[in-house]
Amino acid sequence: PAKSVSGPAASGGKYKAGTSQKRVQSRSSKAGLQFPVGRVHRYLKRETLSTTRVGAKAAVYTAAVLEYLVAEVLELAGNAARDLKSKRISPRHLQLAIRGDDELDMLVKATIAGGGVIPHIHKQLLEKGKKSTQG
């Protein structure tokens, strides 16, 4: 003889039947970003002075800028990889992409490990070589 249970315990859950539970949404998804807004906010708070306050919009803006820069570099590096008939993006492709774009070249001053050098032959060397072969 099983007893029938009535009341709040009948649904067997924490919430009453019929009430909808609100879905938790991350700040990244609210902003329409792939980069983690919460993590960026935590890093901003950690790196600033203890007396400085960091607003919520600052983290969203910073994450959006970072996402844009990464997308730009990856697009150019993907094009460089495809031009060299490779399916993977290597440090060489990143180097070619960053040094090939004037704005990214100004922004990224770092040396890319395994990136190699940009192919460049000075104009005067080319002209001298042409004159000697013709004459």
Side-chain angles (χ1 to χ4, degrees), residues 59-74:
V60 174
Y61 193 88
T62 306
V65 169
L66 288 172
E67 184 173 318
Y68 169 74
L69 288 173
V70 167
E72 191 73 22
V73 169
L74 282 178

Side-chain angles (χ1 to χ4, degrees), residues 82-96:
R82 190 180 48 215
D83 292 344
L84 296 173
K85 297 178 177 64
S86 174
K87 292 189 176 185
R88 290 185 185 169
I89 295 176
S90 68
R92 175 68 177 164
H93 303 138
L94 290 171
Q95 172 85 320
L96 291 172

Side-chain angles (χ1 to χ4, degrees), residues 10-107:
S11 63
K14 191 173 182 181
Y15 299 99
K16 294 180 183 176
T19 60
S20 62
Q21 184 182 356
K22 204 169 193 181
R23 180 114 175 105
V24 177
Q25 197 175 18
S26 67
R27 288 195 280 172
S28 298
S29 62
K30 284 181 185 176
L33 298 174
Q34 299 296 317
F35 265 53
V37 174
R39 187 178 300 174
V40 169
H41 194 204
R42 186 175 73 232
Y43 290 159
L44 283 173
K45 287 193 294 187
R46 189 171 66 187
E47 295 301 319
T48 56
L49 299 172
S50 60
T51 56
T52 307
R53 294 169 62 169
V54 177
K57 290 179 184 176
V60 174
Y61 193 88
T62 306
V65 169
L66 288 172
E67 184 173 318
Y68 169 74
L69 288 173
V70 167
E72 191 73 22
V73 169
L74 282 178
E75 182 184 352
L76 293 171
N79 293 342
R82 190 180 48 215
D83 292 344
L84 296 173
K85 297 178 177 64
S86 174
K87 292 189 176 185
R88 290 185 185 169
I89 295 176
S90 68
R92 175 68 177 164
H93 303 138
L94 290 171
Q95 172 85 320
L96 291 172
I98 290 171
R99 302 299 170 224
D101 188 68
D102 294 335
E103 293 174 346
L104 283 174
D105 191 22
M106 284 192 324
L107 184 67

